[in-house]
Amino acid sequence: MPESLAAPPAPASEPDPEPKPDAAVVRDALGVGVAVGLSGFAFGVTSAGAGLSVLQTCALSLLVFTGASQFALVGALAAGGNPLTAAAGAFFLGVRNAFYGLRLSQLLRLPGPVRPLAAQWVIDETTAVALAQPTRRGARIGFTVTGLSLYVLWNLTTLAGALGAEALGDTTAWGLDAAGPAVFLALLAPMLRTATERMVAGLAVVLGLGFLPVLPAGVPVLVAALAAPAVLWLEGRRRAARGTDTAGRKGADR
């Protein structure tokens, strides 16, 4: 049969991703869980220094379990902010976990009865470890080990920090309130891969720091959240202008 009449060859299927050894996934997940879990001590000290009781501090870690939001809440309260404003700032920081959940639900495909429990562990660290795995099995192991180790250690160190706050004296002198944001930034920085993402992060920093001296505690965080829609609007305008210019040049060429 002539080659011109022969059936086209079937496209080569993409090779399956090479699985990562379970032991390596567990090792990496434990490394993240232990490293970040120890910063729960800083949260416990900061929360107690802001005037929250040991019970209130532990309840935040047990029920909220998202470090950036917890630090934002107690930081705003310590600065004299309104509790509702502080809670709103913490809420908007925590909304990102809902988007993580949408991505992880497709990746992990956990059984229905397990999903409500797994939702408590959908945070920056578990998402980062799960998405870094080449297979669904690795993602499930990474998510579970990171979530379990981080949840247990974070709550234990929160309790230790809240109980030990009195022994440390003036907690602001230790600078422990910077530990949580530092960990969050360390996790966030590698995710800023595109120019748009870096622009959003940069504008958010400018807005947050710029309005910090003039707005009540907790409100600058809400203002910083406007960086995303502002940059996306500007990006849309730029693309529309580029499309108009391209269409105009094509018309002129005709």
Side-chain angles (χ1 to χ4, degrees):
M1 180 183 296
E3 290 185 1
S4 59
L5 300 179
S13 58
E14 296 183 0
D16 294 333
E18 184 178 352
K20 190 175 182 179
D22 292 350
V25 178
V26 171
R27 182 189 63 239
D28 294 344
L30 282 176
V32 173
V34 172
V36 180
L38 292 176
S39 62
F41 181 83
F43 170 73
V45 172
T46 304
S47 180
L52 275 69
S53 67
V54 174
L55 180 60
Q56 290 171 326
T57 298
C58 292
L60 278 174
S61 284
L62 284 167
L63 302 177
V64 178
F65 187 55
T66 171
S69 297
Q70 293 177 232
F71 273 103
L73 176 63
V74 299
L77 293 177
N82 183 284
L84 293 179
T85 303
F91 171 79
F92 279 105
L93 276 176
V95 164
R96 69 189 187 282
N97 294 335
F99 296 99
Y100 293 162
L102 293 175
R103 178 67 181 91
L104 289 178
S105 65
Q106 299 174 354
L107 174 64
L108 301 178
R109 295 185 183 177
L110 298 174
V114 179
R115 291 184 180 182
L117 298 176
Q120 179 69 356
W121 291 352
V122 177
I123 54 176
D124 301 302
E125 295 80 6
T126 55
T127 302
V129 172
L131 293 179
Q133 309 311 317
T135 64
R136 176 170 290 113
R137 174 182 172 83
R140 286 180 171 180
I141 294 174
F143 176 84
T144 303
V145 174
T146 305
L148 179 60
S149 60
L150 182 50
Y151 188 77
V152 171
L153 191 55
W154 177 270
N155 281 281
L156 289 177
T157 54
T158 293
L159 175 61
L163 292 175
E166 294 183 0
L168 291 175
D170 183 11
T171 57
T172 58
W174 292 80
L176 294 175
D177 54 333
V183 171
F184 180 73
L185 289 176
L187 290 167
L188 176 65
M191 300 181 184
L192 303 177
R193 298 187 178 93
T194 67
T196 300
E197 291 170 349
R198 290 190 289 269
M199 192 180 303
V200 170
L203 181 58
V205 170
V206 171
L207 291 175
L209 294 179
F211 284 98
L212 188 62
V214 297
L215 293 178
V219 177
V221 175
L222 304 180
V223 176
L226 299 176
V231 170
L232 291 177
W233 179 78
L234 290 174
E235 185 71 11
R237 290 287 301 272
R238 186 175 65 84
R239 290 179 179 177
R242 183 187 301 171
T244 302
D245 293 341
T246 302
R249 285 196 297 269
K250 288 181 178 180
D253 292 340
R254 292 176 184 174

